[in-house]
Amino acid sequence: MTTPRKIIVGITGASGAVLGVRFLQALARLDGVESHVIVSSSGALTAAQELGIKRSDIEALADVAYSARDIGAAVASGSFLTAGMVVVPCSMKTLAGIANGLADNLIGRAADVMLKERRRLVLVARETPLNLAHLRNMAAVTEMGAIVMPPVPAFYTRPQSVDDIVNHTVGRLLDLLGLEHAELPRRWAGLSDSLARLPEA
């Protein structure tokens, strides 16, 4: 049998818990993928506030769940082979911890492993507006090899609901991990012929 691709999902206390939940649901629909989730205490509080769900509800969506305090978990070691990690949503505190190598909980440690092993790490940073510390931390993690992907909506898809926007973000995350999926009903295919023929200003 083919070994499943292991994907680590960190869910932290930034607003946007639905992004992490929907991402786990999308992973569950894919064959050959095994999800490993870590929910921080702030992430659990935010999910309860925004979605009315408990930590156990989120953990039930994954194949394996860990406590953020469990620094000795499998995902804390580079010898545990994974296909990548997504922190969704990623709080500015978590971003700062990763940028500075603190590894003070399992989410930070697992992210640190991704960087040192040169594996894919995607941080769905959720904050606006951004101060200079936020920007510098984003630059730092990018220089280390991570991808910073704020959940910015794409309006060329003409979204009709919040669900449409969330699903587009989830589809783009799956793209970044190189996973085949059907989460994006519409991809950019260039301007329509009528728009392309408009005269120049």
Side-chain angles (χ1 to χ4, degrees):
M1 292 181 63
T2 303
T3 302
R5 300 183 68 183
K6 298 178 176 65
I7 304 295
I8 303 171
V9 181
I11 296 178
T12 68
S15 181
V18 65
L19 296 167
V21 168
R22 199 70 61 80
F23 183 63
L24 284 171
Q25 291 171 334
L27 290 177
R29 288 191 285 271
L30 301 180
D31 293 330
V33 173
E34 181 179 289
S35 58
H36 295 247
V37 71
I38 313 160
V39 183
S40 73
S41 56
S42 296
L45 285 173
T46 303
Q49 170 69 27
E50 295 182 349
L51 303 174
I53 62 176
K54 299 176 292 188
R55 178 196 300 272
S56 58
D57 297 322
I58 301 173
E59 293 177 342
L61 299 172
D63 295 296
V64 184
Y66 307 92
S67 165
R69 297 187 300 272
D70 187 6
I71 295 298
V75 296
S77 173
S79 66
F80 183 77
L81 295 178
T82 65
M85 177 176 182
V86 176
V87 183
V88 54
C90 180
S91 68
M92 291 299 107
K93 177 182 177 182
T94 300
L95 174 68
I98 295 169
N100 290 280
L102 296 184
D104 57 349
N105 62 28
L106 186 57
I107 293 175
R109 172 56 187 169
D112 195 60
V113 168
M114 295 299 108
L115 295 175
K116 78 183 184 71
E117 300 292 334
R118 306 299 191 266
R119 298 175 188 159
R120 182 56 54 95
L121 173 63
V122 184
L123 307 176
V124 184
R126 257 292 291 117
E127 186 59 277
T128 191
L130 301 170
N131 67 34
L132 187 55
H134 302 153
L135 294 169
R136 284 178 171 162
N137 288 332
M138 289 181 186
V141 296
T142 300
E143 290 169 347
M144 295 173 194
I147 295 174
V148 178
M149 186 193 142
V152 178
F155 292 103
Y156 65 82
T157 61
R158 300 188 180 184
Q160 301 299 304
S161 65
V162 173
D163 273 353
D164 289 345
I165 294 172
V166 169
N167 291 339
H168 188 270
T169 296
V170 167
R172 295 291 287 116
L173 287 173
L174 295 170
D175 285 350
L176 288 174
L177 293 170
L179 299 172
E180 293 188 15
H181 64 89
E183 300 297 324
L184 293 178
R186 180 179 179 185
R187 291 181 179 272
W188 177 251
L191 290 173
S192 67
D193 289 342
S194 59
L195 291 175
R197 289 195 299 268
L198 288 176
E200 294 185 7

